[in-house]
Amino acid sequence: MPGEAQRKQPEIEQGSAPKGAAKSTEAAKRVSQLIRDFYKRAQEAAHEGRPVAWCKVGFPQEPLVAMGITSVFPENYSTICAAKRANLPFLERAEGDGYANYICSYARTTLGYASKMSETGKIPEEAPWGGLPKPSMFIGATVCEPGMLWFHDLNRYEPAPSFVFDTSHPPPDVDNEDPGIKRRYIEHQKGQLRAFIEFLERCTGQKMNWDRLREAVRIHHEARHYWHETHALRRAVPSPMPSIDMVSCIFPGYFMNGTQEAADFYKSLYEE
């Protein structure tokens, strides 16, 4: 009976973390420490009074790198909270604040976290890996439905300048190679980039360093090259790299775009 099977499921203690899956490549084994260092740098930046941006995946990150703005990604941090079984207090807090339990759990975890931090004025005690520091700005992206209002709604708890990057995706029945259509989408994204850089300049009181931006873009392309070539090697049978490693190794390509650390990581993975 389904009910009987459900009752036999072992209880999981809140806050206890499961054991990680075994990795086959040395690069994948390094990812956990890489992520820890990523959040540690954000905590250090906030402590030193440097700007920290809470970001949604799906926008060009290189302008942040060029302007020395430290980024964190609450949706990734939500997965850390879930993996450490520390997300329940944040989910319950968000639902208590009126957010429906069918909203994306990444968003609810982030909103509950921000609600608790707003109440105490500091990082919640139950936050794993040192937690997310207070944001200097919010940067959303329209790559999913919650992404349109999620980061705007965080101002309810942590008032800070916010920008939502409109990442446009042509519908499947549109001919992307049609010159007129292609040009329209390119011009729209150029306008978004200009507005985004102006937003960052207002937030920091600094002007964009265009040489540093060009270098960040170059480094991003270098990282993508090695990541693409790694996938090409995975076509072999048997594959030299299992999918569990591939999923672990996506972190730099999602959350560290434009950094030399990401490029070095994927180069080392490819060489391995």
Side-chain angles (χ1 to χ4, degrees):
M1 296 289 291
E4 183 178 353
Q6 186 177 15
R7 286 194 296 271
K8 290 182 179 180
Q9 293 296 320
E11 292 187 3
I12 299 174
E13 182 181 352
Q14 177 68 20
S16 64
K19 293 182 179 180
K23 306 298 191 302
S24 300
T25 60
E26 293 303 314
K29 295 174 185 177
R30 298 197 304 270
V31 171
S32 179
Q33 187 59 50
L34 183 147
I35 300 174
R36 286 177 179 269
D37 292 342
F38 178 85
Y39 285 103
K40 183 178 179 180
R41 284 194 295 270
Q43 293 151 13
E44 291 172 349
H47 180 72
E48 295 170 4
R50 291 184 280 118
V52 176
W54 281 23
C55 306
K56 172 83 176 69
V57 172
F59 73 97
Q61 298 165 27
E62 294 88 345
L64 296 178
V65 175
M67 296 190 73
I69 300 171
T70 302
S71 58
V72 293
F73 293 81
E75 57 193 306
N76 171 261
Y77 187 72
S78 296
T79 68
I80 294 172
C81 292
K84 300 300 180 183
R85 309 206 198 283
N87 59 337
L88 185 59
F90 305 135
L91 294 171
E92 291 177 337
R93 180 60 173 259
E95 291 164 21
D97 284 355
Y99 292 98
N101 63 6
Y102 52 77
I103 295 174
C104 169
S105 62
Y106 291 171
R108 281 184 290 131
T109 298
T110 305
L111 291 162
Y113 179 100
S115 178
K116 279 178 167 283
M117 185 164 64
S118 175
E119 181 181 63
T120 63
K122 59 183 181 180
I123 292 173
E125 293 181 358
E126 61 268 45
W129 289 9
L132 296 177
K134 281 182 173 289
S136 307
M137 64 191 78
F138 297 114
I139 303 171
T142 59
V143 293
C144 64
E145 289 183 354
M148 298 175 69
L149 292 175
W150 169 5
F151 280 67
H152 177 78
D153 239 29
L154 284 167
N155 276 278
R156 174 181 180 183
Y157 304 110
E158 295 291 334
S162 60
F163 185 93
V164 177
F165 197 102
D166 184 13
T167 307
S168 298
H169 299 278
D173 59 346
V174 166
D175 180 7
N176 294 331
E177 296 306 317
D178 179 282
I181 294 174
K182 191 173 185 177
R183 173 53 53 187
R184 188 158 64 245
Y185 276 97
I186 289 173
E187 289 300 320
H188 177 73
Q189 292 302 106
K190 284 170 62 177
Q192 288 291 294
L193 279 166
R194 292 191 185 99
F196 180 45
I197 290 172
E198 290 173 1
F199 167 80
L200 297 178
E201 290 177 336
R202 289 196 304 272
C203 288
T204 62
Q206 305 175 33
K207 287 296 183 181
M208 171 59 69
N209 185 319
W210 296 101
D211 290 335
R212 289 183 63 182
L213 179 58
R214 291 187 189 94
E215 179 64 8
V217 171
R218 185 197 66 77
I219 291 171
H220 183 186
H221 282 289
E222 178 184 346
R224 290 290 172 180
H225 164 75
Y226 285 114
W227 188 219
H228 177 271
E229 292 303 306
T230 297
H231 280 293
L233 293 176
R234 291 186 67 234
R235 294 174 180 173
V237 179
S239 174
M241 177 182 172
S243 292
I244 188 67
D245 283 40
M246 184 276 292
V247 172
S248 296
C249 290
I250 67 174
F251 182 87
Y254 270 81
F255 307 108
M256 300 174 67
N257 289 334
T259 67
Q260 190 62 54
E261 189 175 8
D264 291 344
F265 174 85
Y266 286 122
K267 182 179 179 181
S268 70
L269 174 63
Y270 169 74
E271 290 175 345
E272 181 184 350

